[in-house]
C-alpha cells in the first residue's frame, strides 16, 4: 500500500494544529474527563456490587468530592453497572467480570483531582494493567453563556444540613435470561464467604430486611421467610397427623426445622446440610429464623444429603423434607431420579416426601421434570403440587412437590379446627386450614405442564 507522506504530514499537522487549537480552547474547560480501562482485575471483585459501590463512593470521597447519590446494579449471572453522582459531576463504572475488566469514567469539574480516585480504584480492583485518557470537556470558548437567575439554586445548596447523607441505590438482581427480580438493598454486607460449595452472603434490603443469598440467588429474607417455611412443613405434618421421625435435607437457614419442631408428636429431626457456612451466617444474622439449632430433638449433620440418603436405612422416616436451593452447584443432584428413589426407600409406608419444587413460571423445565420424576417413582396420582407465593423469588409464584408412599390424601384435611388452633397458638402468618386445601388447587396451565 502506497502511503502519501504529504497526506500523513497534513494529518499530523492538522492533528497537532487541532491539539494546539483544542488546548487553546480547552484550557478554560468546564469539566475534566478521565476515561479509564482497568484490566486483569480480580473477577470476583468485578462482580461484587456492594464492594464496587463502596469503593466508587470511597474513591469520590478520597478526592474530596461531595457524594449526592449512588446507584448500582448487579446483573445476574455477572456484571455490575453504577454511578456515583457527586456535586463535582460523576464517577461511573461498567464491569465485565468474565474479562476481569472495568470501564470507568471519572468526570469532574472544579478543583477536584480525579487522579486520586483513579489511584484508589486501581488498588481496590487489584488492576494488574490499565490505560487512561484525560480530556477536557466543555470549552467555555466554544459555549455561549445564558443569563440565568441562579439565586434560588444557590439558596437550596446552602440549606443542605447533612453533606454526609446521600441516597444509595444498590440493587440485587436474581434473574434468568428473560425475567428478573430486583431488590434495592442498603449496600451493607454482613456476611460474605466463598465456601467450597457456593458464595454465602447476608445482605440487607430496604423492603424485606436482611436476606440470605447463595451465589446470586435470594434464599430467604426476614420479611417473607414464613411464607416458605410454614408451607414446606405444616401441610405434610397435619396430613401425617402423628409424624415422629423427620429428615430435612438442606434447610441451612433453619426456618424449616423451626416449623417442624413446633409439632409435639415429633420425636427426632435429622438435618443434613452440606454447607456449614450457611448455618453460621444465619445463626449470627438471621437469629429469628435460625433459632432451633440447639433443640434437643435435633441431630444436625453437615454433610451431602445425596450421599446421606443413599446410605439411609429403608423405611426409617415418616417425613422427608428436601429444602434445597435451585438445581445448580451442590443442589443439582437433589433433582435426580436416583436421589428421589433413595428417598422413597428411606420413607416408611404411609410416609410423605416434600421438596422445594421451583416455579411453573420461572424455571418451568425444572418444575415439570421434577414432577415427572416423582410421578415415576411414587405413582402418577401420588405426586401433588402445592403452589404458594414468595414475593422475593422471581415471579413470586413458587411450589412444593410431594411424593406420597401409601394412600394418604394431602388435599383433604382431617381436622381443620385442630389446624386453626395450632395456627393461632403458634402465631403462624401464612398457613391455615383454608390455605392447606387451596394450595393444592392447580391452574389449568400448570396441569398441562405436569402431564407426562
Ligand atoms: N428456600 C431456598 C430455595 O427455595 O432455594 C432454599 C433455602 S436452603 C438455604 C437451601 C440449602 O440447601 C442451602 O443451605 C444449601 O447449602 C443446601 N444444599 C444444597 N445442596 C445440598 C446437598 N446436596 N446436600 C445438603 N444440603 C444442600
Amino acid at each position: 500500500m502506497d502511503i502519501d507522506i504529504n497526506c500523513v504530514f497534513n494529518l499530523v499537522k492538522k492533528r497537532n494544529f487541532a491539539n494546539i487549537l483544542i488546548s487553546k480552547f480547552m484550557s478554560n474547560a468546564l469539566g475534566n474527563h478521565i476515561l479509564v480501562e482497568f484490566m486483569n482485575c480480580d473477577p470476583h471483585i468485578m462482580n461484587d456490587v456492594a464492594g464496587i459501590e463502596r469503593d466508587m463512593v470511597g474513591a469520590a470521597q478520597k478526592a474530596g468530592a461531595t457524594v449526592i447519590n449512588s446507584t448500582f446494579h448487579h446483573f445476574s449471572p455477572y456484571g455490575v453497572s453504577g454511578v456515583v453522582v457527586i456535586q463535582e459531576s460523576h464517577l461511573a463504572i461498567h464491569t465485565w467480570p468474565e474479562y476481569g475488566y472495568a470501564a470507568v469514567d471519572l468526570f469532574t469539574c472544579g478543583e477536584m483531582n480525579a487522579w486520586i480516585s483513579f489511584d484508589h480504584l486501581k488498588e481496590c480492583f487489584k488492576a494488574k494493567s490499565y490505560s487512561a485518557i484525560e480530556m477536557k470537556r466543555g470549552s467555555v470558548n466554544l459555549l455561549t453563556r445564558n443569563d440565568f437567575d441562579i439565586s434560588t439554586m444557590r439558596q437550596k445548596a446552602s440549606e443542605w444540613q447533612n453533606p454526609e447523607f446521600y441516597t444509595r441505590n444498590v440493587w440485587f438482581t436474581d434473574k434468568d435470561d428473560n425475567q428478573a427480580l430486583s431488590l434495592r438493598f442498603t449496600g451493607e454486607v454482613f456476611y460474605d464467604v466463598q465456601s467450597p460449595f457456593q458464595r454465602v452472603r447476608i445482605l440487607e434490603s430496604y423492603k424485606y430486611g436482611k436476606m440470605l443469598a447463595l451465589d446470586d440467588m435470594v434464599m430467604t429474607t426476614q420479611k417473607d421467610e414464613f411464607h416458605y417455611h410454614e408451607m414446606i412443613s405444616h401441610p405434610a405434618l397435619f396430613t401425617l397427623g402423628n409424624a415422629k421421625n423427620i429428615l430435612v435435607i438442606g434447610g441451612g437457614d433453619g426456618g424449616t426445622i423451626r416449623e417442624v419442631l413446633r409439632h409435639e408428636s415429633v420425636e427426632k429431626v435429622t438435618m443434613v446440610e452440606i454447607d456449614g457456612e450457611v448455618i453460621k451466617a444465619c445463626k449470627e444474622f438471621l437469629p429469628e429464623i435460625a433459632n432451633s439449632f440447639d433443640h434437643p430433638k435435633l441431630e444436625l449433620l453437615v454433610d451431602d444429603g445425596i450421599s446421606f440418603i443413599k446410605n439411609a436405612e429403608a423405611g426409617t422416616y415418616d417425613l422427608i423434607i428436601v429444602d434445597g436451593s435451585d438445581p445448580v452447584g451442590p443442589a443439582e443432584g437433589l433433582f435426580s431420579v436416583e436421589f428421589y428413589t433413595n428417598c422413597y426407600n428411606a420413607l416408611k409406608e404411609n410416609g410423605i416426601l416434600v421438596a422445594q419444587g421451583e416455579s411453573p413460571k420461572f424455571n418451568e423445565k425444572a418444575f415439570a421434570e421434577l414432577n415427572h420424576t416423582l410421578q415415576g417413582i411414587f405413582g402418577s396420582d401420588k405426586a401433588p403440587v402445592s403452589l404458594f407465593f414468595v414475593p422475593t423469588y422471581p415471579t413470586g409464584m413458587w411450589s412444593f412437590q410431594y411424593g406420597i408412599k401409601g394412600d394418604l390424601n394431602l388435599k383433604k384435611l382431617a381436622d381443620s379446627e385442630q389446624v386453626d388452633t395450632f395456627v393461632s397458638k403458634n402465631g403462624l402468618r401464612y398457613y391455615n386450614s383454608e390455605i392447606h386445601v387451596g394450595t393444592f388447587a392447580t391452574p389449568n396451565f400448570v396441569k398441562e405442564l405436569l402431564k407426562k
Side-chain angles (χ1 to χ4, degrees):
M1 179 173 76
D2 295 341
I3 298 181
D4 172 353
I5 195 70
N6 294 328
C7 159
V8 174
F9 258 121
N10 289 346
L11 266 179
V12 170
K13 265 194 291 177
K14 276 201 189 98
R15 228 164 70 78
N16 290 350
F17 174 68
N19 278 347
I20 295 161
L21 194 64
I22 288 170
S23 56
K24 176 170 169 353
F25 270 103
M26 297 307 275
S27 59
N28 195 2
L30 297 174
N32 191 61
H33 201 166
I34 304 176
L35 295 166
V36 183
E37 309 274 277
F38 283 124
M39 293 168 273
N40 302 310
C41 305
D42 176 328
H44 292 294
I45 293 178
M46 289 294 100
N47 198 35
D48 181 356
V49 64
I52 290 171
E53 190 256 355
R54 180 200 53 229
D55 297 336
M56 289 287 284
V57 169
Q61 289 168 333
K62 205 158 189 187
T66 304
V67 177
I68 314 282
N69 169 296
S70 75
T71 297
F72 282 72
H73 211 83
H74 173 266
F75 300 98
S76 197
Y78 39 67
V80 169
S81 286
V83 61
V84 180
V85 178
I86 52 179
Q87 202 164 305
E88 301 78 4
S89 296
H90 72 265
L91 282 64
I93 186 168
H94 304 280
T95 74
W96 285 261
E98 69 275 31
Y99 294 105
Y101 166 63
V104 173
D105 275 18
L106 307 174
F107 191 117
T108 58
C109 59
E111 301 314 308
M112 178 180 162
N113 172 4
W115 286 107
I116 297 172
S117 307
F118 167 85
D119 291 335
H120 178 74
L121 292 172
K122 186 161 66 71
E123 284 311 303
C124 294
F125 298 161
K126 298 191 174 47
K128 296 194 189 63
S129 55
Y130 61 84
S131 74
I133 299 175
E134 182 171 20
M135 54 200 293
K136 299 293 179 199
R137 303 288 300 274
S139 158
V140 286
N141 301 324
L142 300 173
L143 301 169
T144 314
R145 187 182 178 95
N146 305 317
D147 286 337
F148 187 66
D149 168 18
I150 56 173
S151 59
T152 51
M153 296 305 201
R154 287 211 181 294
Q155 209 174 1
K156 259 216 192 76
S158 62
E159 285 159 11
W160 196 325
Q161 305 303 328
N162 176 358
E164 283 310 305
F165 171 75
Y166 63 91
T167 55
R168 302 173 85 174
N169 256 328
V170 188
W171 291 82
F172 179 96
T173 299
D174 184 346
K175 68 175 276 211
D176 66 7
D177 299 342
N178 309 312
Q179 222 168 158
L181 169 107
S182 292
L183 292 173
R184 182 166 166 243
F185 75 104
T186 63
E188 305 307 322
V189 178
F190 297 91
Y191 197 92
D192 189 354
V193 170
Q194 180 64 43
S195 83
F197 308 101
Q198 56 214 343
R199 185 176 184 189
V200 180
R201 284 187 288 177
I202 301 280
L203 308 170
E204 182 161 37
S205 69
Y206 284 100
K207 180 139 174 94
Y208 290 96
K210 288 198 180 72
M211 59 186 218
L212 167 69
L214 295 182
D215 290 337
D216 293 310
M217 297 172 278
V218 178
M219 287 294 124
T220 196
T221 79
Q222 284 176 314
K223 297 272 175 59
D224 71 353
E225 57 86 9
F226 64 93
H227 296 222
Y228 181 97
H229 292 124
E230 290 181 13
M231 291 308 288
I232 197 171
S233 49
H234 301 308
L237 281 158
F238 274 104
T239 302
L240 286 159
N242 190 26
K244 296 187 175 5
N245 196 1
I246 320 287
L247 172 64
V248 175
I249 293 179
D253 51 63
T256 296
I257 56 168
R258 179 194 66 198
E259 295 305 315
V260 168
L261 288 160
R262 290 184 194 278
H263 292 256
E264 281 151 20
S265 69
V266 172
E267 291 172 1
K268 181 171 181 198
V269 178
T270 307
M271 176 174 161
V272 184
E273 162 58 53
I274 198 167
D275 194 340
E277 287 296 338
V278 176
I279 298 170
K280 197 157 155 270
C282 296
K283 272 182 166 176
E284 195 174 346
F285 295 102
L286 295 170
E288 71 284 359
I289 303 178
N291 62 9
S292 305
F293 280 107
D294 305 323
H295 196 287
K297 292 181 179 177
L298 176 70
E299 182 190 2
L300 173 62
L301 305 170
V302 176
D303 190 0
D304 184 347
I306 297 163
S307 49
F308 177 87
I309 199 72
K310 197 184 260 171
N311 308 317
E313 207 181 311
T316 304
Y317 301 104
D318 299 292
L319 173 62
I320 296 177
I321 299 179
V322 182
D323 179 4
S325 27
D326 301 305
V328 289
E332 197 166 350
L334 298 179
F335 289 76
S336 69
V337 172
E338 188 202 352
F339 173 75
Y340 285 106
T341 306
N342 292 333
C343 287
Y344 180 90
N345 296 335
L347 274 176
K348 288 178 185 168
E349 197 48 36
N350 277 327
I352 292 180
L353 168 112
V354 51
Q356 188 277 106
E358 300 296 322
S359 168
K361 272 295 179 192
F362 185 61
N363 26 32
E364 295 85 336
K365 191 164 168 296
F367 170 81
E369 278 174 6
L370 173 58
N371 197 259
H372 298 158
T373 298
L374 294 174
Q375 287 186 45
I377 295 164
F378 288 85
S380 57
D381 60 345
K382 300 287 183 190
V385 166
S386 92
L387 295 174
F388 63 103
F389 302 102
V390 185
T392 56
Y393 287 179
T395 76
M397 184 183 208
W398 218 255
S399 83
F400 291 121
Q401 304 209 24
Y402 291 78
I404 301 170
K405 188 174 179 180
D407 52 17
L408 290 164
N409 181 354
L410 268 156
K411 299 178 182 175
K412 200 161 170 334
L413 196 50
D415 181 346
S416 52
E417 216 172 292
Q418 179 212 14
V419 167
D420 292 332
T421 311
F422 177 94
V423 166
S424 46
K425 178 167 159 267
N426 288 282
L428 302 190
R429 289 177 286 155
Y430 194 102
Y431 176 76
N432 59 43
S433 56
E434 290 141 10
I435 287 284
H436 180 115
V437 177
T439 192
F440 292 104
T442 46
N444 304 333
F445 81 91
V446 175
K447 289 183 194 304
E448 279 309 307
L449 268 176
L450 298 178
K451 275 202 190 109
K452 280 190 86 175

